[in-house]
Amino acid sequence: MIRRAEPGDAETVIALMAGLGRPPIADSDEQREIFAAHLEHADAEIFVAELDGAIAGAASLWFRPRLNWTTPEAWVPDLYVDPAFRRRGLARALLDACVQAARERGCHCLVLASGHQRAEAHQLYESYGLTHTGRVYGLMLT
């Protein structure tokens, strides 16, 4: 059900991530290159959830150093499940895969970014055991 993404998953995963409500992708070739760079990066993972022969969800995971820790922090900037496949445990399974990978890398914690409008996702994250620990601020530069 959950596996690491492969280069051939790019189009489907990119299309899924559009569901997060971010600006549309202007250059799909450039976005495919970014996807490929994620797959090749030593500190990144992309997991996909398959159901009924289709990629129904995906999550990206990054391992990043912190100045005040000697172990890395796991960061999930993107997690999305197609609405047609929700309530089947896929988001929880994607979180499980991220947590397992974070533990394998010796991370001290896992943090997750989520937009204010994603109330249903927030319920899942809290039921999973994640806690609201602060705010994230952003400044668009382009």
Side-chain angles (χ1 to χ4, degrees):
M1 184 180 333
I2 304 298
R3 63 172 174 80
R4 284 182 166 78
E6 302 167 352
D9 299 328
E11 293 295 329
T12 305
V13 172
I14 291 166
L16 275 171
M17 292 302 140
L20 289 170
R22 297 180 184 145
I25 297 163
D27 183 348
S28 61
D29 288 337
E30 184 178 2
Q31 196 62 48
R32 280 191 296 280
E33 290 174 15
I34 292 169
F35 182 88
H38 273 65
L39 293 180
E40 295 172 10
H41 200 289
D43 290 326
E45 298 273 3
I46 301 173
F47 294 103
V48 296
E50 290 183 316
L51 189 63
D52 301 331
I55 295 177
S60 64
L61 172 66
W62 283 87
F63 305 104
R64 57 190 189 182
R66 298 300 302 258
L67 289 175
N68 58 334
W69 288 89
T70 58
T71 56
E73 174 182 84
W75 174 48
V76 179
D78 306 298
L79 192 156
Y80 189 78
V81 173
D82 183 313
F85 293 96
R86 290 186 183 162
R87 301 255 177 233
R88 300 188 199 183
L90 298 178
R92 188 171 293 275
L94 286 164
L95 282 170
D96 286 345
C98 291
V99 167
Q100 180 179 342
R103 286 190 170 127
E104 289 170 359
R105 287 285 293 259
C107 294
H108 64 273
C109 73
L110 180 137
V111 295
L112 186 143
S114 184
H116 291 293
Q117 76 281 7
R118 300 193 66 223
E120 187 177 358
H122 301 162
Q123 290 175 348
L124 165 71
Y125 303 148
E126 290 174 13
S127 74
Y128 192 86
L130 284 95
T131 57
H132 188 238
T133 58
R135 293 184 179 196
V136 175
Y137 293 92
L139 177 65
M140 296 304 293
L141 300 175
T142 58

